[in-house]
Amino acid sequence: MHLDRRIVTLALGRRPALAGSVLAGWLGGVVTVVQAWLLARVIAEVFLAGADRAAVSGELGWLVAAIALRAGLGWTADALAASAAAGVKHEIRCRAFDAIMARGPAAAELEHTGELITVLTDGVEAIDAYVSRYLPQLAMAAVIPLTIAAVVLGRDPLSGVVLVATAPVIPLFMWLIGRIADARAKRQWLAMARMSAFFLDTIQGLTTLKLLGRSRAQLEAVDRVSRAFRSSSMAVLRIAFLSSLVLELVATLSVAVVAVEIGLRLLGGRLAFVDAFFVLLLAPELYLPMRRLGTAFHAGLAGVNAASRLGELIDAPVPARPTGDGAAMPAHPALALDEVSYAYPGGGGRDRPALDAASLEIARGETVALVGPSGSGKSTVVGLLLRFVEPDRGRVTADGVEASAIDPAAWRRRIAWLPQRPHLLAGSVRDNLLIARPDATEEQLWEALRLARADGFVAALPHRLETPVGERGGRLSGGQARRVALARAFLADRPVVVLDEPAEDLDPGLRVDLDGSLAQLLTGRSALVIAHCLSTVTAADRIVVMDGGRVVGQGSHGELLGGCELYRTLVEAHRGAP
Amino acid sequence: MRALGRILALLGPFRWRIGLAVVLGALTVGGGVGLMGTAAFLIAAAALQPSIAELQVAIVGVRFFGITRGVFRYLERLVAHRVTLDLLGRLRRWFIEALEPLAPARTVELASADLHRRVVGDVESLQELFVRAVAPSVVAVVVGAAVAWLLGGLDRGLAMAFAVAFAGTAVVVTGGVSVLAAPRRGELVAARQALTSAVADALQGMPELLAFGREGVVADRVRRCSEAAERARSRAARREALGDAGVVAGTHAAVWLVLVLAIPMIGEGTITGVHLAVVCLVVMAAFEAVQPLPAAASSLGEQHAAAERVLAVLDAPAAVVDGAAGEMASEPDPSRPVLELRDVAFAHPGGSGHALDGVDLTVEHGARVAIVGPSGAGKSTLAHLLLRFWDPSSGEIALGGRPLRSWPLERLRSVVGLLPQRVDLFTGSIRDNLLLAAPRATGEQLDAAADRAGLLETVRALPDGWETWIGEQGMRLSGGQRQRLAIARLVLRDPRVVVLDEPSAGLDPATERRVVESLLGLFAGRALVVITHRLAAMELFDEIVVLDRGRIIERGSHHELLAGRGLYARLLRAEVSVWGRPHHS
């Protein structure tokens, strides 16, 4: 029995809808019994008592009502199950989403943001069939056959015994065959995935194949792989379909046994025709919910896998986050890291901590350039300064007050951050600016755009500030998106700036423009700049060199060229070109 | 539905098997009809208490149908799935055959729009067309006709009533429900897109949202969108559930109708009471063929959309025409420059503006030319024109004095070799992957090529050497190993002109320089065109051409350009990047 504890618990939380669905389904089963009885009566009356249409008009009228009721109940059961599924999906999605947000950006990055998005959308959708089809059908496969069996036992005990004895054979055999077919089916799924990958390989590589003059030859390989897959698939299906053979055989054979058995007793006059016909009508209905369960099970299977992934996300531990004991964040703080060590949970793909007893400070009004090879710990410093992560050891301070004493939201309100690849939200340019200051006036918006040298292109957009920028800043170039993000930083107008300089090749002309804006942003503010350009590095008040999670040198350009081996090597390696 | 028609045509070669699947499907439902019919006859006849001999045939019939139905169902599923697998193989071959003449232009476009996976998924989803949509529909028609014919033997009116009820139910649960559900589907798609966009914004933008203290706003948006998407989903599900309810109502309404019509016939003596019992159960059992139709209709809608997307990929004219297919091998005229571009302009089909405009370039035999410029300047487009992925919109390209268009394509692509940015590997051994470049190469030739490309050590260190399985399903090679494999392919083909597309992308400055130097050495004596936006080892090139927005704005040697203080000098200054490019995460 495939029952996912988490989905079932949540589904039970949706008791009214789900119970309503099962109740409607069961009532549908009861109406089926009534309808069968009415039909048996009409036929018996007409057939044996010679009644005409008028004599059975009462029953005929009730039959119409039963049919309408049965269709209506079936629809109600489906509709309620769909609404239960909607509730469960919404709840699971929100819980997983909240858990991801609570663990913060560093953890989301480690888990691969793209995969998380897929899990929260398509993954949650896969649960639908499990809740809306499998769970209610599971309940109905239990209650409806029992109800029908009870009725038949009451009218005709012998037939009832036949039905009660054969029905359990179905789940038993399905389980047995399922166990045999399961291992083979898993292997076949793998083969299917491989074959799909092979096809994708070929399509993606068609450019190369064509350039090498081998594209026609590859068709033979495609055929060969298809043939091999087909024969291995058929071998698996021959066994897998045995379960449906058993299901059909048991269902039809039992009906046949019942038919012959009641026929013979009718012949001996030991059974009334109306009861016999009634039992014959009910016998197939007893097996129907079980046959439907088989289909619903396959539809719901994907949901079980998705649920276990969502369960991992929901249950993953959330690191303790101090919310502060009310200490005030200074208005224009000097920030410092004091002997800070930090390791990402699970190592973050490395075998050493991301930061190892690193100390650095940014005095009020000072610009500090942070340099070092990739993986040296620069991004972790940013994460700590923005309080995305809390240090394992050591202290992060503002004017000497430990960060843990200050509410992270209040802390962040003093810092403007410009990441290397800014994310623009799906919405208008205005929406994206207002993120930085929700109450900004029209003048303030344009002033910020002007300072970021973005006023020109925004004014030229089809709807100016109201132009949608779409997902990932769809309509804007990389340089434009960066200028909008820069405008955000001006708009936020905060005393501390953390800046991740773009190292990608922006249009060189634009780059000169941006340098001017950045210089303006840094004036009068404290700043930490993760620098990629020598010009930025030399312009800073102080340079901090990092390597392997440690600070290996700090000072001016001249001091470091003389005193820091790493700094010198890397500057020279770059200037290798004469 | 024209798109689906073209896919359905692919089923042609399997018509006998399809016929068999349909017959078995009809026999399965027929088995149910037979079982319920003979059982009804048995009971009704037994109620008249005849001698047991009169019931023997009915008893045998009941037992016969009781067994055969399951067997027919089993066989039907096997045959139908065999057709599905046949169709899948055929679809794949058909798709590659149709895409092949459009490559590489179309495949490059697909790659840039990141459409490969979607199109592969669409092609694969079409395999269900027969088993989920076509087979149930045909079986329903066959069963409906057969049962109507049977009833016609008894009374024409009853047969008509059944036929109308059967066809009416089928039409209403497919057509009617599709029409009702269609607007809800559109609503659902929009709600899902809004949800995906909200989730993407919240997760991808999480650091900045936290920094600005705005994470709550986006979290609320995710909650609202999730609720809206689920509401839309339930609404669509409620409409779709009408299909199943319709089948139930239609089935029993048909039984009721036949019953009401048949009752007076007994009085008139047209039919007997035994017939009445049989007819009711036969009609009920026949409607089993209608049950899968609502699902078939919605599946058909999805298949249609998939077919249209697939055909949209294929329905494009080939970007280039092979002007001299089959012509014997010819060589570039050594007395003319190996490549000459005169006033070449190119605009991507459907793109806005020119990717290249007024490009003049001459490459002598053995010359080394670097094409540099910011990303989006048109460098890769230029490389693609040299290999005739596309033809220029205007202007002329000549290879060894002969217009590029007049070269046989296969010959052109063996004279001009490309080291692509993205190296394609195929599932198979590393030997297979190298043999693609020269199917008849000997083991020594492979070793020699791998040695020169710096791949041989890697191959020897692999668990099974040359036979090591690589690609999507095998061992993953690193970026550097993939590139060396592609270089070995080029060495094997030994082209006259070598085009290197961003050979040092993703390397740190020190390695970058080494790679460029070794490639220059490897292809010494060949004309070399190197596309790059990184300016490593530029002093080793005879000519540097600076592209910006599709135009050549500077050209000359490294020192000349440096002295010129133009874009090149600015690019070089901008690139004074201390620690290389940042790591991509």
Side-chain angles (χ1 to χ4, degrees), chain B residues 193-558:
Chain B
Q193 275 165 357
L195 172 66
T196 307
S197 148
V199 170
D201 266 352
L203 296 189
Q204 287 166 346
M206 188 184 342
E208 285 152 280
L209 291 164
L210 276 173
F212 285 119
R214 307 288 290 166
E215 67 277 13
V217 179
V218 177
D220 285 344
R221 191 174 129 215
V222 167
R223 246 170 265 280
R224 274 199 315 277
C225 286
S226 171
E227 242 166 36
E230 294 310 335
R231 250 199 322 274
R233 176 78 166 85
S234 316
R235 268 204 294 269
R238 282 203 288 276
R239 290 280 171 104
E240 269 164 25
L242 288 175
D244 290 334
V247 171
V248 171
T251 305
H252 298 287
V255 174
W256 187 87
L257 185 65
V258 167
L259 184 65
V260 168
L261 289 177
I263 289 172
M265 293 181 190
I266 296 175
E268 294 156 9
T270 323
I271 62 170
T272 67
V274 175
H275 287 140
L276 181 69
V278 173
V279 164
C280 282
L281 288 200
V282 162
V283 168
M284 201 184 285
F287 268 77
E288 186 190 354
V290 181
Q291 272 170 22
L293 292 187
S298 77
S299 158
L300 198 66
E302 286 161 26
Q303 311 278 0
H304 183 234
E308 285 197 322
R309 284 193 297 263
V310 168
L311 290 171
V313 168
L314 300 180
D315 285 344
V320 293
V321 178
D322 197 345
E327 186 189 305
M328 295 303 287
S330 54
E331 289 293 325
D333 181 351
S335 67
R336 300 288 305 271
V338 69
L339 282 174
E340 288 166 287
L341 283 76
R342 273 186 304 273
D343 198 23
V344 167
F346 180 70
H348 278 282
S352 59
H354 277 82
L356 286 176
D357 199 4
V359 172
D360 286 296
L361 180 67
T362 303
V363 181
E364 298 294 342
H365 288 272
R368 300 160 160 187
V369 176
I371 315 278
V372 304
S375 62
K379 303 186 301 283
S380 287
T381 306
L382 184 58
H384 290 163
L385 290 188
L386 296 182
L387 282 133
R388 276 196 85 199
F389 284 27
W390 288 275
D391 284 327
S393 328
S394 66
E396 197 58 57
I397 304 179
L399 172 67
R402 178 175 169 184
L404 214 53
R405 287 173 206 255
S406 75
W407 281 83
L409 270 177
E410 274 217 55
R411 183 65 195 146
L412 164 66
R413 286 166 186 165
S414 68
V415 173
V416 184
L418 172 72
L419 179 72
Q421 256 182 74
R422 217 193 72 103
V423 178
D424 294 313
L425 297 183
F426 300 91
T427 304
S429 67
I430 194 162
R431 179 194 302 278
D432 296 338
N433 269 281
L434 195 48
L435 277 177
L436 280 177
R440 279 181 288 279
T442 63
E444 288 87 64
Q445 284 169 322
L446 292 188
D447 277 350
D451 192 24
R452 293 186 59 201
L455 181 70
L456 195 56
E457 296 226 342
T458 310
V459 171
R460 294 216 164 118
L462 288 173
D464 299 315
W466 279 111
E467 305 311 323
T468 307
W469 212 246
I470 57 170
E472 185 96 28
Q473 306 156 34
M475 238 190 72
R476 301 287 168 111
L477 297 187
S478 74
Q481 290 168 333
R482 292 170 81 106
Q483 195 188 43
R484 286 197 286 280
L485 178 71
I487 293 169
R489 281 179 183 158
L490 263 187
V491 170
L492 270 179
R493 286 177 76 78
D494 193 23
R496 290 302 189 85
V497 183
V498 180
V499 180
L500 307 177
D501 193 359
E502 302 281 1
S504 58
L507 300 175
D508 62 77
T511 323
E512 188 177 3
R513 192 180 168 80
R514 230 178 28 243
V515 165
V516 174
E517 281 172 351
S518 81
L519 282 170
L520 289 176
L522 192 58
F523 296 110
R526 302 292 173 209
L528 203 61
V529 179
V530 179
I531 307 291
T532 180
H533 75 276
R534 313 275 296 169
L535 307 179
M538 282 294 118
E539 75 283 0
L540 301 177
F541 287 86
D542 302 319
E543 185 177 22
I544 299 164
V545 175
V546 185
L547 268 184
D548 188 29
R549 288 170 212 160
R551 293 181 160 275
I552 296 181
I553 56 165
E554 287 174 278
R555 61 205 315 162
S557 72
H558 176 66

Side-chain angles (χ1 to χ4, degrees), chain A residues 282-296:
Chain A
L282 284 184
E285 298 287 348
L286 182 121
Y287 298 99
L288 194 61
M290 286 187 260
R291 283 161 55 186
R292 289 212 177 127
L293 182 62
T295 327

Side-chain angles (χ1 to χ4, degrees), chain A residues 35 39 46-47 53 60 64 67 70-71 75 78-79 82 86 89-90 93-94 97-98 104-105 108-109 113 117 121 125 128 194-197 199-201 203-205 207-212 214-215 219 222-223 226 229-230 233-234 237-238 241-242 244-245 248-249 252 256 259 262-264 266-267 269 273 277 280-281 284 291 371-372 374 388 412 417 419-420 422-423 425-426 435-436 438 471-472 488 494 503-505 507-509 532-534 570 574 578, chain B residues 36 39 42-44 46-47 49-50 52 55 62 66-67 69-70 73-74 77-78 81-82 85-86 89 92-93 95-97 99-101 103-104 107 116-117 120 124 192 195-197 199-208 210-212 214 219 222-223 226-227 230 233-234 237-238 241-242 245 252 256 259-260 263-264 266 273-274 277 281 284 375 389 413 424 426-427 436 439 472-473 489 493 533 549 558 567 570-571 575-579 582-585:
Chain A
Q35 184 198 355
L39 189 59
V46 173
F47 171 35
R53 198 147 65 187
L60 286 175
V64 172
I67 292 165
R70 190 170 163 190
W75 180 83
D78 286 349
K89 280 156 63 193
H90 176 64
R93 181 180 291 126
C94 288
F97 175 76
D98 290 343
E109 186 81 14
T113 319
I117 296 170
T121 51
E125 187 54 39
D128 196 282
R194 285 189 163 184
M195 167 139 125
S196 201
F199 184 52
L200 183 64
D201 262 5
I203 302 288
Q204 279 178 338
T207 307
T208 296
L209 289 168
K210 184 109 182 204
L211 289 182
L212 297 177
R214 304 293 297 161
S215 42
L219 283 174
V222 170
D223 278 346
S226 288
F229 175 72
R230 194 176 58 207
S233 291
M234 289 309 291
L237 291 178
R238 266 177 223 119
F241 289 162
L242 279 179
S244 70
L245 174 67
E248 291 288 347
L249 270 182
T252 50
I262 51 182
L264 291 178
L266 267 174
L267 196 61
F273 171 77
F277 201 75
L280 180 65
L281 282 171
R291 283 161 55 186
V371 297
S374 58
F388 292 161
R412 291 186 196 121
W417 175 47
Q420 195 181 89
H423 178 85
L425 305 174
I435 289 288
E471 250 159 86
R472 299 295 266 157
R488 276 182 189 161
R494 294 172 178 185
E504 281 301 317
D505 54 327
D507 185 318
H532 298 286
C533 286
L534 200 53
L570 288 170
H574 183 79
Chain B
M36 294 317 281
L42 172 65
I43 290 168
Q49 303 189 335
I52 189 156
L55 296 181
V62 167
I67 293 169
R69 181 185 151 82
R73 166 69 81 211
Y74 178 74
R77 291 190 70 183
L78 275 187
H81 279 79
R82 172 65 202 255
L85 290 166
D86 284 337
R92 286 185 164 141
R93 192 187 160 103
F95 183 74
I96 295 172
E97 270 186 321
L99 187 60
E100 195 265 349
T107 40
H116 279 133
R117 256 166 222 287
V120 164
E124 291 182 351
R192 283 210 183 127
L195 172 66
T196 307
S197 148
V199 170
D201 266 352
L203 296 189
Q204 287 166 346
M206 188 184 342
E208 285 152 280
L210 276 173
F212 285 119
R214 307 288 290 166
V222 167
R223 246 170 265 280
S226 171
E227 242 166 36
E230 294 310 335
R233 176 78 166 85
S234 316
R238 282 203 288 276
L242 288 175
H252 298 287
W256 187 87
L259 184 65
V260 168
I263 289 172
I266 296 175
V274 175
L281 288 200
M284 201 184 285
S375 62
F389 284 27
R413 286 166 186 165
D424 294 313
F426 300 91
T427 304
L436 280 177
E472 185 96 28
Q473 306 156 34
R489 281 179 183 158
R493 286 177 76 78
H533 75 276
R549 288 170 212 160
H558 176 66
L567 178 64
R570 272 193 292 155
L571 276 172
E575 221 193 41
V576 177
S577 132
V578 186
W579 324 118
H583 62 287
H584 294 274
S585 43

